[in-house]
């Protein structure tokens, strides 16, 4: 899959392009439906299935205090999911002042002057252009001028409500991972390399594999029953998301510390995925390390029970 950062790079595309347009924060099931329409169009008519998206949220320019946390912290994961859905090219634009000032007509005109556009697929409530003035009807009017097909994809519902990034954020913040997974089409999870910590867990007989959870959407700080994958193997475990107030006070770095059931060996530097299954308790400060150690034993037992129940 090829990643483009500017319109002018699209001139290298020799075949007609079937575009799926959107922010696609999370690449949830609703987004996947829009992308599927572009992929299907390319398969039927011939051409390149592609995604047009944005590196920064449009609100960052007009109301930065209102920008929601990203469901996925890294573009690489977002692009990987798109590639799995059949996308061959991505135009990832910085939402610059120039882009924000474009009218809907100017935006589509620039796209159509940069490549041969065969189709544009969007969600039925998609808005674009200066002041969000453009919508599906605008696209249909412009399609007569430029000769592309418009596909407006209806919303996908879960429990009678539209699947949206907002609902996914609410579910994760409530530690309702089953509902979040139902909308994402996959489990909510943390991903990153295992890093060195203070190795306090070893002294407490509960060694942990530590990772930075990223700057995106996070559930409440606390202890979770988790499933993990690292070095090609799967593990159950118990994880603490937080700042370790017993040791660091309230100013520690946000870390995910995962005690894996089993013996993973040396996994420092290895990529690890951790899927929270159930919230067990909030993060609290203990009066002593001995009391923390006792609680860790109870947490591990509760996590093992929760994982067994979920199988």
């Amino acid at each position: 899959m090829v990643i483009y950062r500017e319109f002018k790079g699209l001139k290298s595309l020799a075949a007609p392009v079937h575009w799926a347009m959107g922010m696609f924060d999370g690449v949830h099931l609703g987004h996947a439906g829009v992308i599927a329409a572009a992929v299907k169009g390319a398969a039927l008519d011939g051409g390149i299935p592609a995604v047009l998206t944005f590196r920064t949220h449009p609100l960052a320019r007009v109301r930065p205090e209102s920008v929601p946390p990203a469901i996925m912290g890294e573009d690489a994961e977002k692009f990987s999911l798109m590639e799995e859905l059949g996308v061959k090219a991505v135009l990832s634009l910085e939402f610059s002042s120039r882009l924000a000032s474009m009218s809907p007509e100017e935006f589509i005109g620039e796209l159509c002057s940069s490549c041969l556009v065969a189709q544009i697929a969007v969600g039925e409530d998609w808005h674009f252009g200066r002041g969000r003035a453009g919508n599906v009807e605008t696209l249909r009017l412009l399609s007569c001028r430029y000769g592309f097909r418009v596909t407006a994809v209806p919303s996908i519902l879960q429990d009678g409500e539209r699947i949206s990034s907002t609902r996914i954020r609410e579910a994760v913040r409530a530690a309702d991972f089953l509902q979040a997974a139902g909308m994402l089409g996959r489990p909510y999870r943390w991903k990153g390399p295992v890093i060195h910590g203070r190795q306090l867990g070893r002294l407490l007989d509960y060694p942990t594999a530590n990772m930075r959870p990223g700057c995106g959407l996070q559930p409440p700080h606390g202890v979770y029953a988790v499933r993990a994958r690292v070095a090609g193997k799967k593990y159950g475990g118990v994880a603490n998301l937080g700042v370790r107030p017993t040791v660091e006070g309230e100013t520690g770095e946000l870390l995910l510390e995962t005690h894996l059931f089993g013996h993973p060996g040396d996994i420092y530097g290895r990529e690890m995925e951790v899927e929270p299954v159930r919230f067990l308790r909030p993060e609290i400060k203990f009066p002593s390390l001995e009391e923390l150690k006792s609680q860790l034993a109870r947490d591990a037992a509760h996590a093992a029970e929760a994982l067994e129940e979920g199988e």
Side-chain angles (χ1 to χ4, degrees):
M1 189 172 75
V2 183
I3 311 297
Y4 299 94
R5 302 293 184 180
E6 297 177 300
F7 283 109
K8 63 183 180 181
L10 302 179
K11 295 188 182 298
S12 63
L13 295 173
V17 186
H18 296 254
W19 290 103
M21 290 188 182
M23 189 66 208
F24 299 128
D25 177 20
V27 195
H28 57 59
L29 290 179
H31 298 151
V34 176
I35 292 171
V39 172
K40 181 180 179 180
L44 290 174
D45 301 340
I48 301 168
V51 164
L52 188 155
T53 189
F54 304 96
R55 292 199 293 280
T56 52
H57 199 288
L59 282 175
R61 184 155 296 277
V62 293
R63 294 201 308 277
E65 71 283 356
S66 301
V67 176
I71 293 174
M72 289 184 296
E74 299 292 335
D75 275 350
E77 184 178 4
K78 181 176 176 177
F79 296 155
S80 176
L81 289 168
M82 291 175 176
E83 188 169 24
E84 288 176 14
L85 292 171
V87 173
K88 300 301 183 184
V90 173
L91 174 59
S92 180
L93 295 169
E94 184 66 37
F95 198 77
S96 62
S97 56
R98 175 178 175 271
L99 198 64
S101 68
M102 280 185 176
S103 68
E105 294 78 8
E106 289 170 332
F107 181 80
I108 296 300
E110 179 136 6
L111 179 66
C112 290
S113 67
S114 302
C115 64
L116 179 57
V117 178
Q119 176 192 12
I120 294 179
V122 295
E124 60 185 358
D125 60 347
W126 168 248
H127 287 77
F128 67 104
R130 185 173 59 242
R132 291 170 49 85
N135 55 22
V136 171
E137 188 56 36
T138 310
L139 279 177
R140 290 193 171 117
L141 291 171
L142 291 169
S143 71
C144 298
R145 183 188 308 174
Y146 292 105
F148 57 80
R149 183 171 77 256
V150 176
T151 305
V153 179
S155 298
I156 295 178
L157 305 182
Q158 182 205 55
D159 300 329
E161 293 186 59
R162 184 175 70 90
I163 290 176
S164 68
S165 297
T166 297
R167 286 187 63 207
I168 292 169
R169 291 186 185 96
E170 291 171 351
V172 171
R173 286 168 174 151
D176 189 343
F177 302 114
L178 189 61
Q179 186 182 61
M183 291 186 282
L184 285 167
R186 63 186 184 279
Y188 170 86
R189 62 197 173 200
W190 296 284
K191 294 179 69 173
V194 177
I195 63 173
H196 288 275
R198 296 181 58 177
Q199 299 190 329
L200 180 63
R202 294 182 184 277
L203 298 177
L204 299 174
D205 298 326
Y206 286 92
T208 58
N210 303 330
M211 60 187 287
R212 295 182 177 90
C215 59
L217 177 67
Q218 302 294 341
H221 290 188
V223 177
Y224 294 85
V226 301
R227 296 189 182 96
R229 181 192 296 269
V230 62
K233 295 183 179 180
K234 297 178 181 179
Y235 300 88
V238 58
N240 183 81
L241 174 70
V243 296
R244 304 160 311 287
T246 303
V247 180
E248 305 283 0
E250 301 297 333
T251 59
E253 178 188 12
L254 180 64
L255 286 178
L256 181 72
E257 300 173 301
T258 305
H259 173 66
L260 301 171
F261 300 153
H263 302 282
D266 184 1
I267 54 174
Y268 288 119
R270 303 296 292 268
E271 191 79 8
M272 183 168 69
E273 294 182 4
V274 181
E275 174 197 339
V277 175
R278 185 180 300 176
F279 179 72
L280 300 178
R281 65 170 176 85
E283 184 179 49
I284 58 176
K285 183 175 182 177
F286 291 91
S288 67
L289 290 179
E290 194 61 35
E291 290 188 53
L292 172 59
K293 181 177 179 179
S294 297
Q295 183 60 52
L296 290 176
R298 292 191 288 272
D299 291 339
H302 292 158
E305 291 173 6
L307 293 173
E308 187 174 348
E309 291 172 5
E311 291 180 351

